[in-house]
Amino acid sequence: MNTAAESIIEVKGLAKRFGKVIALDGISFSVKRGEIFGFLGPNGAGKTTTIRILTGIIVPDAGDASIAGIDIQRDPLNAKMRIGVIPELGNIYVDLTARENIILAGRFYGMFRHVLEKKADELLKRFEIYERRNDPLRSFSKGMKQRVNIASALVHDPEILFLDEPTSGLDVQSQRLIKGIIGEINRKGTTIFLTTHNIEEANVLCQRVGIINKGRIASIDTPESLKRTFEETRSVTCSFDMPADIALFEGNSLVNRLDRMGDKWRLYTDNPDELVKYLASRASEQGLSFTSLEICGASLEDAFLRLTQGGERHVS
Ligand SMILES: Nc1ncnc2c1ncn2[C@@H]1O[C@H](COP(=O)(O)OP(=O)(O)OP(=O)(O)O)[C@@H](O)[C@H]1O
Ligand SMILES: [Mg+2]
């Protein structure tokens, strides 16, 4: 089939409920061979549920998913041979050493011992944990455990790597190393599917980003265009000791949108720095004192609202 050559993951109408909770409400998307596809969404959006279905851990209530043209429900074993998974809560054994963990992972895929040992050492070096290879993971930091996790998922050279929030809660050095490795693996031809809360991470790493919220895809787009949406949802919130005249904000070219929240004003802007300076000068002219003033970064929730207001947008 023509599309199979282009897209390596195909998802159509996937739905999953847990009791009364609708985790996935009929999502459809595809991932192209060779790309880094980011799945961005807040807590409970359905990211992990999607990964667990795509990696054959749980079955959907409805819909289809295929990996490299193989139906994940009809032929799960074959599909699983082509993927590596770094789950949300890790996949490692703390009583084993770093090297033993990687070797154990390779044995699940039926790799020969001598190939596997060579590969394990290669991965340990690449992940900068070779010196600690014979220490049990119990003694490793979170970032180092995550490196072993990723190394174990790569041992059989998978076509697709699934990573569920790979850098969440890690120190900056481990984050940087892991992002670098994700980029490197991708340049060597592995397709990457990763979930994240982090807009910046999605921007830096991904060629396309799907935004999921409450079990629905709000948008699939390029990071540049999503970034624009996020930038437009930056804001400044402030309040004064006396009621401020709305004329202070209205009609100002720096203010894209204005919300009143109790005694606070929320001013959406592309340029928070300029707006704060403007507000300070006007407030002092009018004898107003700030009781609060805060620059709020782009919020995922605001961006979702914007993206969903215009209906679904898809860029292929
Ligand atoms: N095994 C389960 N039993 C009951 N409810 C579940 C189960 N797994 C997921 N859910 C619910 O389904 C929804 C989606 O959860 P999911 O773990 O997919 O979200 P997520 O996007 O990965 O969130 P996070 O960013 O917090 O990891 C949530 O409301 C969650 O509580
Ligand atoms: Mg999750």
Side-chain angles (χ1 to χ4, degrees):
M1 215 168 58
N2 206 4
T3 51
E6 272 211 311
S7 56
I8 194 160
I9 301 173
E10 279 283 355
V11 171
K12 284 210 184 79
L14 272 197
K16 181 77 185 172
R17 293 178 84 113
F18 296 101
K20 284 194 180 141
V21 176
I22 299 174
L24 293 178
D25 196 7
I27 60 165
S28 303
F29 63 90
S30 60
V31 175
K32 295 174 190 168
R33 187 179 285 278
E35 78 177 339
I36 302 185
F37 184 86
F39 216 37
L40 184 68
N43 288 127
K47 302 179 298 293
T48 299
T49 304
T50 306
I51 286 206
R52 296 180 79 205
I53 292 173
L54 291 178
T55 55
I57 311 276
I58 55 173
V59 291
D61 300 332
D64 295 305
S66 66
I67 300 284
I70 304 162
D71 189 306
I72 180 81
Q73 285 185 77
R74 248 175 263 147
D75 195 357
L77 224 59
N78 213 346
K80 281 184 193 180
M81 289 302 283
R82 292 160 181 264
I83 63 180
V85 192
I86 291 105
E88 199 169 27
L89 299 173
N91 210 5
I92 45 174
Y93 300 90
V94 291
D95 293 327
L96 301 183
T97 68
R99 195 165 186 273
E100 285 166 347
N101 263 285
I102 299 174
I103 287 177
L104 182 66
R107 289 174 74 177
F108 284 135
Y109 293 101
M111 290 173 70
F112 290 118
R113 183 105 204 169
H114 65 282
V115 180
L116 190 47
E117 286 188 350
K118 194 164 158 257
K119 184 78 188 183
D121 288 339
E122 218 178 276
L123 286 163
L124 286 161
K125 284 178 192 153
R126 192 152 128 221
F127 282 84
E128 298 172 19
I129 41 176
Y130 187 74
E131 279 67 43
R132 299 283 307 269
R133 67 191 177 284
N134 293 323
D135 293 346
L137 289 202
R138 217 180 313 106
S139 66
F140 278 33
S141 71
K142 201 171 169 195
M144 287 163 67
K145 281 189 193 133
Q146 183 67 320
R147 297 182 206 183
V148 178
N149 226 328
I150 300 182
S152 303
L154 286 174
V155 70
H156 61 303
D157 288 323
E159 269 174 72
I160 311 171
L161 190 62
F162 289 91
L163 301 111
D164 200 352
E165 303 203 26
T167 61
S168 155
L170 304 186
D171 60 279
V172 175
Q173 193 197 345
S174 295
Q175 281 191 21
R176 199 173 302 143
L177 182 84
I178 286 168
K179 280 193 238 171
I181 286 170
I182 291 172
E184 186 191 313
I185 300 162
N186 176 252
R187 282 190 293 280
K188 287 187 182 155
T190 308
T191 306
I192 311 274
F193 182 102
L194 73 89
T195 73
T196 180
H197 287 124
N198 187 326
I199 304 163
E200 209 39 54
E201 180 168 293
N203 276 331
V204 171
L205 279 174
C206 304
Q207 275 108 53
R208 283 191 314 144
V209 181
I211 295 205
I212 181 167
N213 192 28
K214 298 189 179 137
R216 293 184 176 192
I217 305 259
S219 136
I220 296 181
D221 219 326
T222 59
E224 290 74 29
S225 127
L226 293 174
K227 195 165 179 194
R228 228 173 299 128
T229 310
F230 289 119
E231 278 173 359
E232 285 162 10
T233 56
R234 282 184 298 182
S235 62
V236 173
T237 59
C238 59
S239 56
F240 302 97
D241 59 340
M242 288 187 291
D245 185 354
I246 193 164
L248 191 65
F249 321 115
E250 249 179 6
N252 186 299
S253 61
L254 288 168
V255 180
N256 298 332
R257 191 156 59 87
L258 185 65
D259 275 345
R260 181 136 202 199
M261 310 180 299
D263 66 336
K264 276 195 181 144
W265 294 94
R266 183 160 192 187
L267 314 165
Y268 289 88
T269 179
D270 301 342
N271 196 337
D273 174 63
E274 277 295 309
L275 182 58
V276 166
K277 288 172 184 157
Y278 165 82
L279 288 172
S281 75
R282 292 303 303 272
S284 103
E285 269 168 36
Q286 301 195 6
L288 294 167
S289 302
F290 286 104
T291 48
S292 72
L293 177 68
E294 192 185 358
I295 294 179
C296 306
S299 110
L300 264 179
E301 281 71 20
D302 288 338
F304 289 131
L305 272 178
R306 260 185 97 96
L307 290 166
T308 44
Q309 269 160 7
E312 282 193 23
R313 289 189 306 156
H314 284 262
V315 171
S316 49

